[in-house]
């Protein structure tokens, strides 16, 4: 593992007009200078990790808190980066007043459409892409039994995309989910949902593939071309929106672990670079110092391209090599 060197991934990505990104935390941008400097040097796109989630933006009914989101958008503008807004409609990270409130269907429709109009409207022209709906499909391929689905029905997805389009007609609107590259009922359900949306002219522009990969599941990556191929026949763009590669290693990863991890990062980015209309590769965090992984998978860690001391790992070098390589012909 080597110390940081210039020029960083973003310079290489800019030369290819490719978006390389990470999610960011507003408090860390403010309090950890090494974190902020690394984001500045390495990425040309940032996603709001938690700052625009419903519970953060609307902790009390009728009261917004945009301080973290404003800080991230300001940071991006000061550093000439694009922002991905994550996330408008999700079953998770909802405020208590919404998750446990006594609401009617029409009341919830009003909450949903007002929220999107206000949040997207506030950043109109400043947030380039939105994860409008996240993880609407359950593991059986049917609609997930979220509060949105249970109270509004599947129309909530249409309402969300229409509200987002009308609040900012220039933003690219994403349906975002995990496991899109799998060949199972969940992936099939996602495809059917998106096909139905496109058929009915609901304004969905693109599909976001989360790609939180366990290092032992590298086979998943091989299915990417087929999954993206059929989505593109629907006229959709796509992006990898939440890439990380975690491993089950208690102490320090060995060189072999790091090489296997690097190979997966490389494979995903190479696929992005080779695929027309696959517009970005966004990492879900970039340093093991600040990682969501151990909180959610207690036995797993080391998922990022920098270690806990901000030293580059072989995964970083793999991404840099791919970005520095010759451009594939576009089509
Ligand atoms: O902000 C509070 C803080 O005030 C409190 O002291 C602390 C105590 O636990 O919690 C803090 O909130 C946490 C928040 O992250 C910020 O750190 C939440 O508990 C925690 O649940 C939340 O986790 C986030 C998770 O989504 C929520 O489901 C992760 O940071 C975030 O990386 C993760 O991101 C998701 C994407 O949105 C959707 N796709 C999957 C991805 C990974 O799970």
């Amino acid at each position: 593992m080597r110390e940081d060197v210039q020029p960083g991934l973003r310079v290489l990505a800019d030369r290819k007009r490719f978006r390389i990104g990470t999610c960011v935390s507003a408090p860390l941008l403010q309090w950890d200078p090494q974190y902020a400097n690394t984001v500045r040097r390495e990425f040309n796109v940032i996603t709001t990790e938690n700052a625009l989630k419903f519970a953060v933006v609307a902790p009390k009914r009728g009261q917004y808190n945009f301080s973290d989101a404003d800080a991230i958008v300001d940071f991006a503008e000061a550093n000439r980066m694009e922002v991905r807004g994550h996330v408008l409609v999700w079953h998770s990270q909802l405020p208590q007043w919404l998750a446990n409130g006594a609401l009617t269907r029409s009341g919830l429709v009003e909450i949903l459409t007002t929220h999107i109009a206000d949040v997207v409207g506030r950043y109109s022209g400043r947030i380039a892409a939105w994860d409008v709906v996240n993880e609407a499909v359950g593991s059986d391929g049917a609609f997930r039994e979220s509060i949105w689905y249970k109270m509004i029905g599947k129309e909530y997805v249409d309402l969300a995309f229409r509200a987002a389009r009308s609040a900012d007609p220039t933003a690219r609107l994403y349906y975002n989910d995990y496991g899109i590259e799998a060949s199972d009922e969940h992936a099939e359900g996602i495809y059917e949902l998106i096909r139905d949306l496109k058929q009915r002219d609901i304004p969905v522009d693109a599909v976001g593939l989360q790609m939180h990969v366990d290092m032992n599941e590298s086979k998943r990556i091989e299915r990417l071309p087929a999954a993206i191929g059929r989505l593109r026949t629907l006229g959709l763009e796509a992006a990898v929106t939440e890439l990380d590669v975690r491993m089950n290693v208690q102490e320090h990863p060995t060189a072999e672990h790091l090489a296997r991890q690097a190979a997966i990062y490389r494979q995903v980015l190479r696929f992005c670079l080779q695929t027309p209309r696959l517009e970005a590769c966004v990492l879900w965090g970039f340093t093991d110092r600040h990682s969501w992984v151990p909180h959610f998978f207690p036995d797993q860690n080391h998922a990022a391209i920098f270690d806990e001391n901000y030293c580059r790992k072989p995964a970083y070098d793999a991404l840099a090599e791919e970005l520095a390589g010759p451009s594939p012909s576009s089509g």
Side-chain angles (χ1 to χ4, degrees):
M1 288 177 251
R2 287 179 271 149
E3 291 300 323
D4 306 338
V5 289
Q6 293 296 339
L9 301 178
R10 79 174 283 181
V11 171
L12 301 170
D14 284 344
R15 282 185 200 145
K16 283 194 154 60
R17 298 175 186 238
F18 183 76
R19 298 177 178 92
I20 185 85
T22 181
C23 72
V24 293
S25 142
L28 292 175
L29 282 180
Q30 188 178 1
W31 298 116
D32 180 348
Q34 222 173 342
Y35 182 94
N37 286 335
T38 308
V39 176
R40 273 190 203 97
R41 188 183 62 238
E42 304 294 346
F43 303 103
N44 55 19
V45 182
I46 52 180
T47 300
T48 55
E49 182 176 12
N50 289 302
L52 280 166
K53 287 176 178 170
F54 218 120
V56 177
V57 163
K60 297 198 174 129
R61 189 162 190 177
Q63 256 182 48
Y64 288 121
N65 175 5
F66 288 113
S67 54
D68 280 0
D70 283 354
I72 291 173
V73 174
D74 289 347
F75 177 90
E77 289 178 348
N79 293 288
R80 294 168 292 100
M81 294 165 171
E82 212 173 70
V83 182
R84 300 191 79 259
H86 175 86
V87 48
L88 295 168
V89 190
W90 192 24
H91 61 275
S92 185
Q93 281 183 285
L94 294 172
Q96 286 303 317
W97 65 266
L98 174 51
N100 300 323
L103 301 167
T104 60
R105 181 183 191 275
S106 60
L108 193 58
V109 167
E110 172 69 18
I111 289 167
L112 174 79
T113 52
T114 304
H115 180 81
I116 293 175
D118 290 350
V119 175
V120 177
R122 178 185 180 87
Y123 297 106
S124 180
R126 301 177 74 198
I127 290 191
W130 280 98
D131 290 333
V132 178
V133 175
N134 191 38
E135 301 172 6
V137 176
S139 54
D140 60 356
F143 268 89
R144 183 188 295 277
E145 295 281 326
S146 66
I147 185 172
W148 308 109
Y149 179 69
K150 284 194 286 193
M151 292 203 61
I152 300 178
K154 63 183 194 176
E155 192 196 351
Y156 87 83
V157 176
D158 307 5
L159 292 167
F161 279 102
R162 287 200 174 112
R165 176 67 93 226
S166 98
D168 184 356
T170 64
R172 299 187 302 281
L173 306 183
Y174 274 72
Y175 175 79
N176 195 55
D177 214 326
Y178 58 85
I180 294 179
E181 70 287 0
S183 54
D184 59 13
E185 288 176 321
H186 181 239
E188 206 53 38
I190 293 166
Y191 176 75
E192 282 307 320
L193 167 65
I194 296 165
R195 196 179 58 78
D196 176 59
L197 294 174
K198 286 301 283 182
Q199 205 164 40
R200 292 184 299 108
D201 284 329
I202 304 299
V204 52
D205 300 316
V207 177
L209 292 89
Q210 293 189 5
M211 308 235 45
H212 298 289
V213 183
D214 179 319
M215 202 166 76
N216 295 317
E217 305 171 318
S218 59
K219 286 262 174 258
R220 275 173 56 181
I221 314 299
E222 291 165 16
R223 292 196 287 263
L224 270 172
I228 292 293
R230 70 173 183 167
L231 287 166
R232 286 182 54 213
T233 63
L234 300 176
L236 287 158
E237 305 204 350
V240 169
T241 52
E242 304 186 15
L243 176 63
D244 51 26
V245 184
R246 61 186 188 270
M247 55 181 94
N248 186 342
V249 171
Q250 297 316 315
E251 298 282 323
H252 295 293
T254 62
E256 193 255 332
H257 292 131
L258 294 171
R260 277 172 57 203
Q261 177 183 52
I264 296 175
Y265 271 103
R266 181 192 297 280
Q267 208 178 345
V268 175
L269 180 60
R270 183 175 292 177
F271 174 72
C272 293
L273 291 168
Q274 286 173 346
T275 306
R277 299 192 358 240
L278 212 159
E279 61 161 42
C281 183
V282 179
L283 315 181
W284 205 247
F286 57 92
T287 168
D288 293 332
R289 175 165 298 198
H290 306 292
S291 170
W292 70 282
V293 171
H295 302 289
F296 285 76
F297 299 99
D299 296 338
Q300 306 218 46
N301 208 342
H302 309 291
I305 61 170
F306 288 89
D307 71 9
E308 46 290 309
N309 298 313
Y310 289 97
C311 290
R312 297 181 302 151
K313 290 156 72 173
Y316 176 100
D317 297 330
L319 296 187
E321 282 163 23
E322 290 303 310
L323 288 169
S327 293
S329 55
S330 58

